[in-house]
Amino acid sequence: MSATEEAEALKLLFRNQYSFLISKIMFTASDLGVFDLLMESKEPLTSVTIAERLGTSPFGMERLLDACVGYKFLQVERKDNQTLYGNTNLANLYLGKRSPKTQYYSLKFNAEFVYTRAQHLADSVREGEAQTYRLSDISTKDFYEAMYRSKSSLREFMEFMHEMWSLCGRDVLNAFDLSNFPLVCDLGGCSGALAKEYISLYPNSTVTILDLPEVVETGKKHFVSSEEHRIAFHEGDAFKDPIPEADLYILVRTLHCFTDEKCVQLLTRLHRACKPGGGVLVVEIVLNEDRTGPLEAHIYGLVMLLCTQGKERTPSEYNALLSAAGFKDIQQKKAILFDAILGRK
């Protein structure tokens, strides 16, 4: 290794050692209201002004703002011997609570729920199990029980899902022409964000969201208007209860939460319920066949290890699951962040 290569390796090592702080920096600035304040001010502000308006320590706020500049969440300019801070386009679009495409609850989920479990990554690697039960206020190993333990945590998780699929839903639905599937069942459809994208793309379609009773109650109350007659909710557990008949079943970021055996069990139930000529649309981040990437899949793989019994999979592994359940003509297409896999009955 040359001196130049070693210097670059050292820089990379240093950055990676502290990269666990990135989600905390983003969420702290968002939660304190930094990005919203700078959006509303219409002009850059000093760290002292930002601290005064948000009720924080000027010393602490300056450290946080400078870190945000380093990660390109904020930008700075010098004027009249003062350092002025302003949002980057990234912050304006995604990082404020009132940003047009806010990811506030996504930041909150990663900075709080995932971050606390990451403290037990070594335990998870040794045991091969989720670490939810190690937290003092949660005794279950089940991810969904942990997320749905209170109305407030359920609502926050649904907000997180709503943000994600309001942002990425249209992209994954555009991967295939789904116009031949007017009757759709979105399993674990949560807030209905993906259902809204589907009926927007295909005006003659209807979507039934199959989810647990507490999710359905919250979805009806806070996310889907009773006047939207093309979206319906159906209470049930997809592993146990009858599944509504549909032309297309959608599983978005669902299979990666479960073991291979549970995935085949679920997919087999869908195949039996599916209309002839219908299909299933699976949305996941798919590993390269040689498992060398993408990095996002490796990161989510560790999140699944910490929080669930599942894992990320390669194309051939998803093909095997779908084939075992009876689906044919399996195709995969890449979207911006996620992959769409379509199997037919």
Side-chain angles (χ1 to χ4, degrees):
M1 183 183 290
S2 69
T4 301
E5 290 172 333
E6 186 172 355
E8 289 303 314
L10 183 59
K11 289 178 184 178
L12 181 62
L13 175 63
F14 182 84
R15 289 186 188 125
N16 285 344
Q17 285 185 70
Y18 293 96
S19 60
F20 70 94
L21 281 169
I22 298 173
S23 66
K24 281 291 189 181
I25 291 167
M26 276 195 293
F27 175 66
T28 300
S30 183
D31 197 42
L32 289 174
V34 171
F35 304 119
D36 286 320
L37 173 62
L38 290 171
M39 272 195 296
E40 293 163 4
S41 72
K42 307 295 184 183
E43 61 181 4
L45 302 173
T46 67
S47 61
V48 172
T49 300
I50 294 171
E52 286 176 351
R53 294 187 186 179
L54 298 179
T56 73
S57 152
F59 180 79
M61 180 55 73
E62 186 178 39
R63 302 288 82 73
L64 178 63
L65 297 175
D66 287 343
C68 287
V69 171
Y71 283 111
K72 295 181 170 51
F73 309 142
L74 296 178
Q75 54 193 351
V76 293
E77 62 178 87
R78 292 286 296 175
K79 187 176 182 181
D80 300 328
N81 291 323
Q82 290 185 312
T83 301
L84 301 173
Y85 297 85
N87 285 344
T88 59
N89 290 335
L90 172 74
N92 279 330
L93 191 58
Y94 301 119
L95 301 185
K97 297 176 189 177
R98 291 184 287 278
S99 293
K101 295 184 178 181
T102 180
Q103 294 297 294
Y104 171 77
Y105 284 99
S106 302
L107 299 176
K108 184 177 178 67
F109 175 78
N110 286 301
E112 295 184 348
F113 189 86
V114 176
Y115 185 89
T116 54
R117 283 143 189 82
Q119 314 310 308
H120 299 287
L121 179 57
D123 296 311
S124 201
V125 170
R126 279 192 287 263
E127 299 170 12
E129 290 190 342
Q131 297 300 302
T132 300
Y133 74 97
R134 289 186 180 275
L135 301 182
S136 59
D137 63 329
I138 304 171
S139 59
T140 180
K141 291 185 180 182
D142 185 274
F143 171 75
Y144 292 105
E145 282 185 28
M147 289 309 309
Y148 300 169
R149 68 189 186 279
S150 69
K151 287 186 177 180
S152 60
S153 62
L154 169 61
R155 174 73 184 275
E156 288 185 355
F157 181 72
M158 291 180 71
E159 292 282 5
F160 164 40
M161 292 291 99
H162 193 77
E163 288 176 353
M164 175 68 73
W165 299 115
S166 295
L167 185 65
C168 301
R170 183 161 296 240
D171 181 52
V172 297
L173 293 176
N174 272 324
F176 295 99
D177 178 4
L178 304 174
S179 58
N180 291 326
F181 304 116
L183 185 62
V184 178
C185 181
D186 186 1
L187 286 89
C190 201
S191 72
L194 195 75
K196 291 178 182 178
E197 294 295 336
Y198 196 98
I199 64 172
S200 175
L201 276 171
Y202 302 105
N204 295 323
S205 65
T206 59
V207 179
T208 297
I209 296 169
L210 175 62
D211 220 316
L212 299 175
E214 58 269 37
V215 178
V216 168
E217 179 185 355
T218 306
K220 287 180 176 179
K221 185 176 181 180
H222 296 289
F223 294 97
V224 178
S225 169
S226 59
E227 297 178 359
E228 181 47 79
H229 302 299
R230 290 179 296 165
I231 297 176
F233 284 94
H234 185 94
E235 294 183 3
D237 183 332
F239 286 97
K240 301 175 183 177
D241 299 321
I243 295 173
E245 188 180 50
D247 300 307
L248 179 70
Y249 294 95
I250 299 179
L251 291 168
V252 173
R253 304 295 280 149
T254 299
L255 296 184
H256 77 153
C257 293
F258 299 106
T259 63
D260 289 351
E261 292 75 18
K262 292 281 282 185
C263 289
V264 172
Q265 178 189 345
L266 177 58
L267 289 168
T268 300
R269 298 195 85 223
L270 297 186
H271 188 268
R272 288 173 184 159
C274 188
K275 288 184 174 184
V280 61
L281 179 70
V282 174
V283 177
E284 298 285 356
I285 296 181
V286 178
L287 279 164
N288 299 338
E289 204 62 65
D290 61 6
R291 311 186 79 84
T292 56
L295 178 60
E296 293 83 357
H298 293 312
I299 292 171
Y300 268 112
L302 289 175
V303 173
M304 291 302 100
L305 176 64
L306 288 165
C307 299
T308 75
Q309 297 177 326
K311 62 181 182 178
E312 306 306 318
R313 296 176 172 90
T314 64
S316 61
E317 287 173 325
Y318 278 114
N319 284 355
L321 296 178
L322 289 161
S323 296
F327 288 100
K328 310 290 184 184
D329 302 324
I330 300 163
Q331 304 173 64
Q332 177 188 331
K333 292 189 179 181
K334 278 201 165 295
I336 296 173
L337 289 178
F338 298 97
D339 299 82
I341 305 168
L342 182 64
R344 303 294 293 265
K345 179 173 178 178

